[in-house]
Amino acid sequence: MPSYKAPLRDYRFILNEVLNVQNYANLAGFADATPDTIDAILDGAAQLAEEVLQPLNLSGDQEGCTRHPDGSVTTPKGFKDAYKLFTDGGWGALTSDPDFGGQGMPAVLGSCFSEIVSAANMAFVMYPGLSHGAYSAIHVHGTDEQRQTYLPKIVEGVWTGTMNLTEPNCGTDLGLMRTRAEPQADGSYKISGTKIFISAGEHDMSENIIHLVLAKISGPDTPAGIKGVSLFIVPKFMVEKDGSLGARNGVSCGSIEHKMGIHGNATCVLNYDGATGFLIGEAHKGMRAMFTMMNEARLGVAIQGLSQSEVAYQNAVNYAKDRLQGRSLTGPKFPEKPADPIIVHPDIRRVLMNIKAFNEGARALMLWTSLHGDLAHKSDDAKARELGEDVMGILTPVLKGYLTDKGYANATDAQQVYGGHGYIAEWGAEQFVRDARIAMIYEGANGIQALDLVGRKLASNGGRAIFAWFKIVDDAIAAGGDETVKPFIDGLTTVRKQLEEATTWLMNNGLSNPDNAGAGSMDYLYLFGLCGLAFSWTEMAKVAAAKAGADAFYANKLTTGRYFIERMLPDAAAHLAKLKTGAAPLMALDMEAF
Amino acid sequence: MPSYKAPLRDYRFILNEVLNVQNYANLAGFADATPDTIDAILDGAAQLAEEVLQPLNLSGDQEGCTRHPDGSVTTPKGFKDAYKLFTDGGWGALTSDPDFGGQGMPAVLGSCFSEIVSAANMAFVMYPGLSHGAYSAIHVHGTDEQRQTYLPKIVEGVWTGTMNLTEPNCGTDLGLMRTRAEPQADGSYKISGTKIFISAGEHDMSENIIHLVLAKISGPDTPAGIKGVSLFIVPKFMVEKDGSLGARNGVSCGSIEHKMGIHGNATCVLNYDGATGFLIGEAHKGMRAMFTMMNEARLGVAIQGLSQSEVAYQNAVNYAKDRLQGRSLTGPKFPEKPADPIIVHPDIRRVLMNIKAFNEGARALMLWTSLHGDLAHKSDDAKARELGEDVMGILTPVLKGYLTDKGYANATDAQQVYGGHGYIAEWGAEQFVRDARIAMIYEGANGIQALDLVGRKLASNGGRAIFAWFKIVDDAIAAGGDETVKPFIDGLTTVRKQLEEATTWLMNNGLSNPDNAGAGSMDYLYLFGLCGLAFSWTEMAKVAAAKAGADAFYANKLTTGRYFIERMLPDAAAHLAKLKTGAAPLMALDMEAF
């Protein structure tokens, strides 16, 4: 049976020793995040994940969700009780605004929590995860009345939320949207249309569901295309003045999708038949409202990729230590056993080291980026807020694309460690692959992340964010280190040059022919990801080198990091070479020749 | 709904124009394989695949196989009728020995057929595919009586076959085998034990099932470990002297596995409870008997990888031409439509070109290798037979590892083209991924292929096979070509040098520390695969360049090949760099530190 242990030592190392979060006590929430509190939160999260959520992961996948003829949806056995434990523990409130019942903890701590619980049960965690998306939309764009009406219940978890963007004919290109909002005399709207792929769209775990819905207001004033899209709040049950629940609104679940993975989450077709909705934010500015939530949501998906990589790794390690097949190429290592455990074989090691070195580097980069999210929102210093926004802006597509692509590839490699057993459902390895797969697609498919990176984030504010990134890397290089740190500095220096060469190539060739930017976008994203991990490994190596005698943890950290530099960074040169071939090789063939 | 069209023009191009199979009329079966016959066979295969097998692929996945309380197994709706059409058409007999009812066609043509039908319905084709494995074992190692008893019925398809190797505690390391064979007075054996992961182990499509089973003969003469394994024929129903079916034998299906894909094929746990078995080949030489079939079986799995890459590609192309989202980066290409089809976007092109350039290069290399299999078995010339064996020997692990790893990666990339729809079962894209996944695992997991390549095939006969390969490549380079061919020659020259450098490194460092060979084995396999495709693209480019004016087919072939050289070959340098880091980075960490 699959299992999971939260990598608590790794979080403490990154938070307390690498990022030194205690230095940010001037930011809201950080003063409360003392090392003791962080420990207590991480321990509690680990217990919830290991004892409540993980044991429901395989059974939730096998049972899936059931839609009944009346349109109601039942979640897998145990999910409802687990959700009660989740909300009773206040976990949905961890990073939410104290004004609405939240605990106001830093986002960087919320990111640790997200990885832990997603690793244990990704399908389950999407229910409260989507609630947090709805929370953010209402928190940032809602009126005071809307915030008072919806936020306390969502933060408490007795209501959940959803995000409704996709329609059968439009996903990436939301300008093609057909869902309509008819203005009513009382200021509300009647929403009509069909939304698809709505995660957590209908279920049995909460008293109400608050749908955030993109639609176009009917009428001559609505601009065509993407500029005419507005955002609406559509509650499943109407909310009365006193906060009690009223009539059932005109939104219903038409079907649930049969899909590759995340079977424990109900992916719904939602039919809006003149449902009552309330405009949130300005009319026709719905996309702007969505964009403010997008970095946070995309970082959340990046964390899902990492989470599946981590749980897949842990289980593959357990199998590789347990499974006896063959003998070490250099002679028996366990002569008293009928065969050696397969972890003695170099190619098994290669797979495990690839994943381990990725997970630890990606975790540090992801938390470093989350910390910049805190700075962007909470710093008193305008320069720090700007830097925080720039880092979040440029690293978000990188993390979303790189961590989810690698998360899936790593889950696949981990599955391979099991041989034939990896293909069999009861071992759980194939579920990690199927669950990880969705993270590459939703919240903007990874190709869209790459376009966002090269088409938008590179150029915005005259390239301020990418220059800030190079400055950060240059500072890390300039700070230097001893002989132990030198290989890391050298690797980072090399990949930094490659990233700069790629950036310059895109700037020189992407304007004259935008297809050149598109053609190189995914290789650029991967190259950036490698540079990002080289940076986070360098920062970790500096700390570990200084403490290497203290504890095997630090020596192992250095060994793992050196593996990344030696065996994983060589991919950067291939990405650069491909990028520099430009658009011609891709666009040369006539459409009919495919 | 997913669909499939056999790439007939591509087969004709490779068989008739690149490999010039008509030049091999001196080999048995080739004289009958005239261009007209080849056309008729390919057309018939395409019709079977497109009209009978492909329409059952999605439904077969969704329904799966059912085991009944009495141990019998029902295949998905339509499979039984399709199997009758398959056998009525004589397709199971295509490459079999005419002495036993076969058509004796060349293996290279059989490989075309395998790709076509596997692309249409991989789970279905495994039933006759496993029969062919049993056919080969009996054909090569059986007594005359065994051949007369079993082969005609298997070739006709009224009986099917299976291969029984794996047990709960042993897969790769068959020396740990526990299944026992008790010698009986009449010369037969009583077989007892449990075999798992038996594809096509029990079903409702044939009158009898002939199990080929590895077991250890009980008694003091049986050597320990892998050297004490023998091979047995165990029929489901005993065969009487007159060929009629007698009593039910003591083998039964204990359960069928719930697995990630190939749901249409029954993967069985088979319980042998004193079942009557007949030794085939020599006692204790069962592994040798298995090995003679292994190249053929592994090439068959390589073809499965290619087949899923091809069908995934075709469907992604259809989707990319159909789906309207956004506008080309260089301005609208279909201004009359509400949006452009997504095939205008460079990153979609990148995915499709990656798969197309792989499929066409891999198909040519696979058929070239198959032709060498024909030479190995059928040539009058001892040198040609030796070369054929060397090529089959060294290319088989390369093709099995590279084509199945890429087949899965390509199916995943093709799925990405669909966005959210790629994750939904009804579109079929996710099935190709799940089905493709098994090919990386069975018939020797790909890590084992890499070990076979560097640990056995490189060194055998003093490196004769690898030197033969370099000679083949050098001849292709020396033959040269015009300006159109030059980029291919240049690419091939570069990757050939990289492969030679890797080979030399392994020879210099693998003997002193075998872990160095193991650590670099998978990178070496990939590097070899890239060299193989560069070779096959060069050979195709020579033909296409000479006819480039004749037909858009040839110009498109050159464009696709140039994409491979420019955008895919750069990975070779990264594999070389990783290989040359040796075992140290992988083995440095203590087992406990994982």
Side-chain angles (χ1 to χ4, degrees):
Chain A
M1 284 288 290
S3 65
Y4 172 68
K5 291 288 283 182
L8 298 183
R9 178 76 200 265
D10 223 36
Y11 294 119
R12 289 176 182 131
F13 171 68
I14 298 168
L15 294 176
N16 299 327
E17 301 176 64
V18 181
L19 300 180
N20 296 304
V21 292
Q22 51 279 19
N23 292 354
Y24 298 86
N26 60 315
L27 303 187
F30 277 72
D32 297 333
T34 60
D36 283 354
T37 304
I38 289 176
D39 272 357
I41 289 173
L42 291 177
D43 287 343
Q47 194 181 2
L48 175 76
E50 296 165 10
E51 297 175 14
V52 177
L53 303 183
Q54 195 280 330
L56 297 173
N57 193 43
L58 185 62
S59 57
D61 177 68
Q62 293 180 344
E63 181 184 344
C65 296
T66 308
R67 180 187 174 278
H68 305 287
D70 66 354
S72 65
V73 170
T74 309
T75 53
K77 193 161 176 290
F79 271 40
K80 197 172 170 175
D81 291 343
Y83 185 72
K84 184 150 184 350
L85 286 173
F86 189 99
T87 53
D88 285 354
W91 292 107
L94 187 64
T95 60
S96 302
D97 185 343
D99 287 350
F100 303 100
Q103 296 170 32
M105 283 288 154
V108 66
L109 195 58
S111 291
C112 298
F113 174 74
S114 288
E115 191 204 326
I116 293 172
V117 290
S118 292
N121 196 325
M122 182 168 146
F124 174 89
V125 174
M126 290 172 64
Y127 293 99
L130 268 296
S131 294
H132 201 76
Y135 160 86
S136 296
I138 298 171
H139 191 256
V140 177
H141 297 284
T143 62
D144 275 348
E145 191 190 338
Q146 287 170 335
R147 287 152 55 114
Q148 292 299 343
T149 302
Y150 299 106
L151 293 187
K153 293 288 194 181
I154 293 176
V155 169
E156 192 186 345
V158 291
W159 297 352
T160 60
T162 72
M163 304 300 298
N164 291 238
L165 287 75
T166 307
E167 300 182 7
N169 64 309
C170 77
T172 297
D173 187 354
L174 292 169
L176 302 171
M177 187 168 290
R178 292 180 187 157
T179 298
R180 286 288 175 277
E182 289 285 341
Q184 305 296 303
D186 65 357
S188 71
Y189 293 80
K190 291 288 180 199
I191 313 286
S192 296
T194 300
K195 294 288 182 177
I196 64 171
F197 303 159
I198 308 308
S199 299
E202 179 60 52
H203 57 81
D204 55 359
M205 305 197 318
S206 65
E207 296 171 7
N208 201 3
I209 303 177
I210 310 304
H211 302 292
L212 277 282
V213 184
L214 286 179
K216 286 184 157 186
I217 296 171
S218 300
D221 298 341
T222 298
I226 193 72
K227 289 182 179 140
V229 170
S230 305
L231 185 62
F232 299 88
I233 298 174
V234 183
K236 175 180 169 185
F237 290 100
M238 300 304 294
V239 181
E240 303 292 336
K241 281 261 180 280
D242 64 357
S244 65
L245 297 185
R248 185 74 161 77
N249 203 352
V251 49
S252 61
C253 169
S255 62
I256 56 178
E257 303 284 2
H258 296 98
K259 55 197 194 293
M260 186 180 191
I262 49 167
H263 294 158
N265 201 278
T267 306
C268 298
V269 174
L270 289 186
N271 296 320
Y272 291 86
D273 300 308
T276 299
F278 307 100
L279 183 69
I280 172 167
E282 287 178 61
H284 319 315
K285 303 291 187 191
M287 289 311 294
R288 201 166 67 187
M290 295 303 302
F291 268 106
T292 57
M293 287 168 293
M294 224 165 247
N295 281 342
E296 188 190 349
R298 290 179 168 179
L299 193 62
V301 175
I303 293 170
Q304 291 182 333
L306 171 60
S307 77
Q308 296 309 295
S309 182
E310 174 66 30
V311 70
Y313 165 80
Q314 290 188 16
N315 284 278
V317 165
N318 293 342
Y319 189 86
K321 289 180 177 178
D322 227 48
R323 176 75 170 175
L324 308 178
Q325 292 289 282
R327 289 295 184 188
S328 164
L329 298 171
T330 56
K333 295 290 170 284
F334 295 82
E336 75 286 3
K337 295 186 176 178
D340 286 339
I342 60 173
I343 198 168
V344 304
H345 301 304
D347 194 61
I348 298 288
R349 288 277 185 143
R350 178 186 63 85
V351 168
L352 297 178
M353 287 300 297
N354 269 338
I355 311 179
K356 181 177 169 66
F358 171 83
N359 289 353
E360 296 179 15
R363 182 173 294 126
L365 184 65
M366 178 273 289
L367 292 177
W368 178 86
T369 306
S370 286
L371 179 60
H372 281 81
D374 282 314
L375 286 169
H377 290 116
K378 298 175 173 177
S379 179
D380 295 331
D381 175 14
K383 278 310 242 184
R385 284 200 307 273
E386 182 184 288
L387 180 68
E389 269 165 35
D390 285 345
V391 166
M392 270 295 274
I394 202 157
L395 263 297
T396 293
V398 172
L399 290 170
K400 200 284 185 180
Y402 188 55
L403 269 59
T404 63
D405 269 14
K406 289 287 289 181
Y408 173 77
N410 289 345
T412 298
D413 286 349
Q415 179 190 18
Q416 190 75 9
V417 169
Y418 293 73
H421 299 282
Y423 203 64
I424 307 299
E426 67 183 279
W427 288 86
E430 59 94 35
Q431 184 190 350
F432 302 140
V433 176
R434 291 185 289 101
D435 287 357
R437 183 67 185 90
I438 190 58
M440 298 156 71
I441 298 173
Y442 60 19
E443 282 298 333
N446 286 354
I448 298 299
Q449 304 298 325
L451 264 191
D452 177 50
L453 176 63
V454 303
R456 192 193 312 255
K457 301 294 174 63
L458 267 193
S460 68
N461 300 310
R464 200 176 69 202
I466 183 67
F467 290 125
W469 171 253
F470 283 127
K471 170 85 167 53
I472 288 164
V473 172
D474 288 340
D475 290 348
I477 292 170
D482 63 11
E483 278 306 300
T484 309
V485 176
K486 187 168 181 304
F488 293 87
I489 300 280
D490 291 348
L492 180 59
T493 304
T494 301
V495 70
R496 181 237 179 271
K497 276 188 200 141
Q498 290 164 325
L499 183 65
E500 184 175 35
E501 192 178 336
T503 308
T504 305
W505 191 94
L506 286 176
M507 286 177 173
N508 290 341
N509 298 279
L511 281 178
S512 58
N513 178 5
D515 277 348
N516 278 326
S521 58
M522 193 54 89
D523 284 301
Y524 187 78
L525 187 152
Y526 269 93
L527 183 51
F528 208 137
L530 286 163
C531 183
L533 260 63
F535 165 72
S536 65
W537 269 117
T538 301
E539 295 301 281
M540 289 193 285
K542 289 174 185 171
V543 177
K547 303 180 181 179
D551 181 339
F553 176 85
Y554 300 105
N556 292 336
K557 195 58 84 177
L558 289 164
T559 301
T560 306
R562 275 192 298 267
Y563 179 92
F564 174 81
I565 300 293
E566 289 188 53
R567 298 268 311 189
M568 297 172 75
L569 265 191
D571 286 329
H575 290 299
L576 178 59
K578 293 177 192 180
L579 177 142
K580 287 169 71 179
T581 64
L586 287 71
M587 307 308 283
L589 215 56
D590 277 348
M591 195 167 141
E592 292 69 39
F594 283 92
Chain B
M1 283 290 289
S3 65
Y4 172 67
K5 292 289 282 181
L8 298 183
R9 179 75 200 264
D10 222 36
Y11 295 119
R12 289 176 182 132
F13 170 69
I14 298 168
L15 295 176
N16 299 328
E17 301 176 63
V18 180
L19 300 181
N20 296 304
V21 293
Q22 51 279 20
N23 293 353
Y24 298 86
N26 60 315
L27 302 187
F30 277 72
D32 297 333
T34 60
D36 282 355
T37 304
I38 290 177
D39 271 358
I41 289 173
L42 291 177
D43 286 343
Q47 194 182 3
L48 175 76
E50 296 165 9
E51 296 174 14
V52 177
L53 303 183
Q54 194 280 329
L56 297 174
N57 193 44
L58 186 62
S59 59
D61 178 70
Q62 292 180 344
E63 182 185 344
C65 295
T66 308
R67 179 186 174 279
H68 305 286
D70 66 355
S72 65
V73 170
T74 308
T75 53
K77 193 161 177 290
F79 271 40
K80 197 171 170 175
D81 293 341
Y83 185 72
K84 185 151 184 350
L85 286 173
F86 188 97
T87 54
D88 286 352
W91 291 107
L94 186 65
T95 60
S96 303
D97 187 343
D99 286 350
F100 302 100
Q103 297 171 33
M105 282 289 153
V108 65
L109 195 57
S111 291
C112 297
F113 175 74
S114 289
E115 192 205 325
I116 292 172
V117 290
S118 292
N121 195 327
M122 181 167 147
F124 173 90
V125 174
M126 290 172 65
Y127 293 100
L130 268 297
S131 294
H132 202 75
Y135 160 87
S136 297
I138 298 171
H139 191 256
V140 177
H141 298 284
T143 63
D144 275 348
E145 190 190 337
Q146 287 171 333
R147 287 152 55 113
Q148 292 299 344
T149 303
Y150 301 106
L151 292 187
K153 293 288 194 183
I154 293 176
V155 169
E156 192 187 345
V158 292
W159 299 352
T160 58
T162 72
M163 305 300 298
N164 291 238
L165 288 75
T166 307
E167 300 182 6
N169 63 309
C170 77
T172 297
D173 187 354
L174 292 169
L176 301 171
M177 190 169 289
R178 292 180 186 156
T179 298
R180 286 288 176 277
E182 289 286 342
Q184 305 297 303
D186 64 356
S188 71
Y189 293 80
K190 291 287 181 202
I191 314 285
S192 297
T194 299
K195 294 287 182 178
I196 64 170
F197 303 159
I198 308 308
S199 299
E202 179 59 52
H203 57 80
D204 54 0
M205 305 197 319
S206 65
E207 296 173 7
N208 201 3
I209 302 176
I210 310 304
H211 303 292
L212 277 284
V213 184
L214 287 178
K216 288 184 154 185
I217 297 171
S218 300
D221 299 340
T222 297
I226 193 73
K227 289 182 179 142
V229 170
S230 306
L231 185 62
F232 298 88
I233 297 174
V234 183
K236 174 179 168 183
F237 289 101
M238 301 305 294
V239 180
E240 304 293 336
K241 281 261 182 277
D242 64 356
S244 65
L245 297 186
R248 185 74 162 78
N249 203 352
V251 48
S252 61
C253 170
S255 62
I256 54 178
E257 303 284 3
H258 295 98
K259 55 196 194 296
M260 188 181 191
I262 48 166
H263 293 158
N265 201 278
T267 306
C268 298
V269 174
L270 288 187
N271 296 320
Y272 290 86
D273 300 308
T276 299
F278 308 99
L279 183 69
I280 172 165
E282 290 178 60
H284 318 315
K285 304 290 187 193
M287 288 312 294
R288 202 167 64 188
M290 295 304 302
F291 267 107
T292 58
M293 289 168 293
M294 224 167 250
N295 281 343
E296 187 188 349
R298 289 178 171 180
L299 193 62
V301 176
I303 293 171
Q304 292 181 334
L306 171 60
S307 76
Q308 296 309 295
S309 183
E310 173 66 29
V311 68
Y313 165 79
Q314 290 188 14
N315 283 279
V317 166
N318 292 342
Y319 189 85
K321 288 179 176 177
D322 227 48
R323 174 75 169 175
L324 308 178
Q325 292 288 283
R327 289 295 183 187
S328 164
L329 298 172
T330 56
K333 294 289 171 284
F334 294 82
E336 75 285 4
K337 295 184 178 181
D340 286 338
I342 60 174
I343 198 170
V344 304
H345 301 305
D347 194 61
I348 297 289
R349 290 275 185 145
R350 178 186 63 84
V351 168
L352 297 179
M353 287 300 297
N354 269 339
I355 311 179
K356 180 177 170 66
F358 171 83
N359 289 352
E360 295 179 17
R363 183 173 294 127
L365 184 65
M366 179 272 289
L367 292 177
W368 177 86
T369 306
S370 286
L371 179 61
H372 281 80
D374 282 313
L375 287 169
H377 290 116
K378 299 177 173 175
S379 180
D380 295 331
D381 175 14
K383 277 309 239 187
R385 285 201 305 275
E386 181 183 289
L387 180 67
E389 270 166 33
D390 285 347
V391 166
M392 269 297 273
I394 202 158
L395 263 297
T396 294
V398 173
L399 289 170
K400 200 283 187 180
Y402 187 55
L403 268 58
T404 63
D405 269 15
K406 290 288 289 184
Y408 173 77
N410 289 345
T412 299
D413 285 349
Q415 179 190 18
Q416 190 74 9
V417 169
Y418 294 72
H421 299 282
Y423 203 64
I424 306 299
E426 67 182 279
W427 288 85
E430 59 94 35
Q431 184 191 349
F432 303 138
V433 176
R434 290 185 289 102
D435 286 357
R437 184 68 184 86
I438 189 59
M440 299 156 70
I441 299 173
Y442 60 18
E443 282 298 333
N446 286 354
I448 299 299
Q449 304 299 323
L451 263 191
D452 177 51
L453 175 64
V454 303
R456 190 192 314 253
K457 301 295 173 64
L458 267 192
S460 68
N461 301 309
R464 201 176 68 201
I466 183 69
F467 291 126
W469 170 253
F470 282 128
K471 170 85 167 56
I472 287 164
V473 172
D474 287 340
D475 290 348
I477 292 169
D482 62 9
E483 279 305 299
T484 308
V485 177
K486 187 166 181 303
F488 292 88
I489 300 280
D490 291 348
L492 180 59
T493 304
T494 301
V495 69
R496 182 237 180 273
K497 275 189 201 142
Q498 290 165 324
L499 183 65
E500 184 174 37
E501 191 177 337
T503 308
T504 306
W505 191 94
L506 286 176
M507 288 177 171
N508 290 342
N509 298 280
L511 282 178
S512 58
N513 178 5
D515 277 349
N516 279 326
S521 58
M522 192 53 89
D523 284 301
Y524 187 77
L525 187 152
Y526 268 93
L527 184 50
F528 208 138
L530 286 164
C531 184
L533 259 64
F535 165 71
S536 65
W537 268 117
T538 300
E539 295 301 281
M540 290 194 285
K542 289 173 185 173
V543 177
K547 302 182 181 180
D551 183 337
F553 176 86
Y554 300 105
N556 291 338
K557 195 58 84 177
L558 289 165
T559 301
T560 306
R562 275 193 298 267
Y563 180 91
F564 173 80
I565 301 293
E566 289 188 54
R567 297 268 311 189
M568 297 171 76
L569 266 191
D571 286 329
H575 290 300
L576 178 60
K578 292 177 192 181
L579 177 142
K580 288 169 71 177
T581 64
L586 286 71
M587 307 308 282
L589 215 56
D590 278 348
M591 194 167 141
E592 293 68 37
F594 284 91

